[in-house]
Amino acid sequence: MTAGFADAPPPERLPPADLGAERAVIGAVLHHAAVLDEAAELVSPEDFYRPAHAELFREMLRMRDAGRPVDAISLAAHLGDRLYQLGGASYLIDCMGSVPTPSNVAYYAEIVAEKAVRRGLVAAATRMSQLAYALPGDVDEDLVGRAHEYIDEVAGGGRSGRGRRLRRTPASEVTMRRLRWLWQNRIVLGGLTLLAGREGLGKSTVAVDLVAQVTRGELAGEFLGEPRPVIYVNSEDARDSTIVPRLVAAGADLERVVFLDAVSPTEDETPLVLPQDTRLLAEEIDDLKAALVVLDAATSVIDSTLDGDRDRQMRRGLEPISKLAADTGAGVVGIVHFGKRESADTGKLILGSIAWSQVARSVLAVARDEDTHQLVISSTKANLAPGDAPSLAVSLVPAAVETPDGITQVARVHWHGETTQRAEELLAASPEGEDRSLIAEAVTWLLGYLSDEKRAGSAGAGEILRAAKADGFNERLLQRARKRAHVSTHRTATGWTWTLDTGPRRQDDNPTQR
């Protein structure tokens, strides 16, 4: 009896696989699409043993990359007749029922990846066995080297290796193109720009003024003299009582401003959600030939299933928007909020993930100057600009707009021109945190410096700041002293000049049109 068992052939062994874990990965993603990014970091479609699972996972990745929602209904519609070859709609439901919570997707994905490695080792061992038994002349002389190659394929053929290849593009084959600006050196065409500031400052009012200038062809940049359409995606302020009255107050051509809503198959209107609706938004941009898309507020437009504090997930939401801008050539301006902390690093002030400032090509920071009660707009990130754009000072002034049911009051922007003040300086420290006696000392120093008979009330800003630094006054302190001392600034052929005021300043210059 014992001899009989010993002589029997060993039972056939199945390749390493865990179909239950594969179903759980599929089901977790169908439950909550946000975990697809986490799963994709650990497994690729080639890691699934069952072909149907590999195909389902591959299609979900394609839907995500195309900016489409990933759920059971959308996947079924996307697959069409192919769904029945992969198990049918009931199988998708079975997959969803196999996972207790989507948060465990990493656990199941690691099991799938580990089984894939084991299958790779089995395949490598089989190939090495065939290599070892091969007759002379059938293989290279370096058998050990070939065996190492098989093992290396397993070690390097994980999620980022299998099914992928690198494509060479010589620089000589890349067609160069010039950089184009919607607003010169501030809002780039084909990229994402953030308009950032603390809540309640009037960022949306500033954005509306820029929209109005684009529709009139008056914004200094690529389309100066050429009125262009604008798409306005709103999620906070009401269109009828706030946004449109602001547009009227700003002098916008309302025929060139378009609002967008998503419409379901049942004709229900829902807010636009990005990146799911990027393809539809791109079609609208191309159809309208829109020069600008405003996302107000940008954080409200991003898919709520993405964790706003996780950099990797937010990049998944923001990079398709950046690509949308690049593909359509439009400028995309996202309005975002700063937190209450104090910092000169505006990227760190943006609420949520640092990915916002990393993906954006330009950041325009807005801060309030408590001395002048004006808003200062500074370009705090402009990777593509040839140089620093001067800061601009604006005020929000009341405007009465007539509506069908009476007059409504809104705010509009009044431009004061360039300023040496920087938004990041205003954000770095609050006025309450400064020693009033130091400001008084700086005022006395500045008045004495400019009143010297050698200067006759006027001197270059650089000269003044260097002299002040040598005497222990930093630039922030001296800027505040300048306003208290009623010292005006103006640009000359040699740079900025500070002058003791002898008359009223001109307040009607709009620098956006220069």
Side-chain angles (χ1 to χ4, degrees), residues 400-486:
V401 175
E402 186 174 352
T403 73
D405 58 351
I407 299 295
T408 187
Q409 295 289 334
V410 294
R412 64 175 180 84
V413 169
H414 178 72
W415 297 91
H416 294 296
E418 296 179 3
T419 175
T420 56
Q421 186 62 274
R422 298 287 301 176
E424 55 265 49
E425 294 170 359
L426 297 169
L427 293 163
S430 62
E432 292 77 14
E434 293 182 334
D435 189 333
R436 293 182 182 274
S437 64
L438 285 177
I439 298 176
E441 288 180 24
V443 168
T444 302
W445 180 93
L446 181 58
L447 290 174
Y449 189 87
L450 290 175
S451 299
D452 187 281
E453 61 181 12
K454 293 184 297 185
R455 301 179 184 89
S458 182
E463 171 196 332
I464 296 172
L465 294 174
R466 285 191 296 271
K469 184 177 181 180
D471 287 346
F473 300 106
N474 61 41
E475 182 175 348
R476 164 67 180 162
L477 186 62
L478 206 65
Q479 290 282 6
R480 290 182 57 74
R482 177 183 67 77
K483 296 160 191 170
R484 298 285 178 89
H486 303 290

Side-chain angles (χ1 to χ4, degrees), residues 129-147:
S129 175
Q130 294 170 346
L131 185 66
Y133 283 107
L135 295 175
D138 290 343
V139 296
D140 297 339
E141 292 181 2
D142 187 6
L143 300 181
V144 175
R146 292 288 298 279

Side-chain angles (χ1 to χ4, degrees), residues 195-200 203-204 236 296-297 299 335-339 349-352:
L195 182 62
R198 295 202 168 104
E199 290 191 59
K203 300 182 297 295
S204 296
E236 293 185 351
D296 183 11
T299 51
I335 299 176
V336 295
H337 299 313
F338 284 150
L349 285 177
I350 296 173
L351 290 176

Side-chain angles (χ1 to χ4, degrees), residues 270-305:
T270 60
L272 196 74
V273 177
L274 300 177
Q276 283 91 326
D277 294 326
T278 49
R279 179 180 58 82
L280 298 175
L281 180 55
E283 291 174 356
E284 291 292 332
I285 294 172
D286 290 339
D287 186 52
L288 292 168
K289 294 181 172 54
L292 172 64
V293 177
V294 175
L295 307 178
D296 183 11
T299 51
S300 300
V301 178
I302 297 293
D303 185 355
S304 60
T305 62

Side-chain angles (χ1 to χ4, degrees), residues 9-165:
E12 183 178 356
R13 302 180 70 178
L14 296 175
D18 191 325
L19 299 183
E22 293 185 6
R23 284 195 299 271
V25 171
I26 302 294
V29 174
L30 294 178
H31 266 298
H32 193 50
V35 303
L36 178 55
D37 293 338
E38 190 174 359
E41 289 293 324
L42 300 170
V43 294
S44 69
E46 291 76 15
D47 290 326
F48 290 85
Y49 176 67
R50 186 178 177 190
H53 294 159
E55 185 68 12
L56 289 172
F57 194 74
R58 181 178 295 106
E59 293 305 318
M60 289 193 293
L61 290 175
R62 288 174 177 168
M63 293 171 67
R64 178 202 66 183
D65 293 342
R68 301 177 59 186
V70 180
D71 53 56
I73 295 175
S74 300
L75 179 59
H78 172 74
L79 292 170
D81 293 339
R82 284 190 297 154
L83 177 62
Y84 299 101
Q85 302 171 8
L86 303 177
S90 60
Y91 190 68
L92 300 183
I93 297 174
D94 290 342
C95 289
M96 295 175 68
S98 68
V99 56
T101 172
S103 62
N104 292 335
V105 68
Y107 171 76
Y108 298 115
E110 288 173 352
I111 294 175
V112 173
E114 184 261 341
K115 296 297 183 182
V117 171
R118 289 180 179 272
R119 290 197 302 276
L121 288 173
V122 171
T126 301
R127 295 171 68 188
M128 286 189 289
S129 175
Q130 294 170 346
L131 185 66
Y133 283 107
L135 295 175
D138 290 343
V139 296
D140 297 339
E141 292 181 2
D142 187 6
L143 300 181
V144 175
R146 292 288 298 279
H148 276 299
E149 289 179 8
Y150 297 154
I151 295 297
D152 290 342
E153 287 179 11
V154 177
R159 183 198 60 82
S160 63
R162 288 191 301 276
R164 293 167 63 90
R165 60 189 178 87

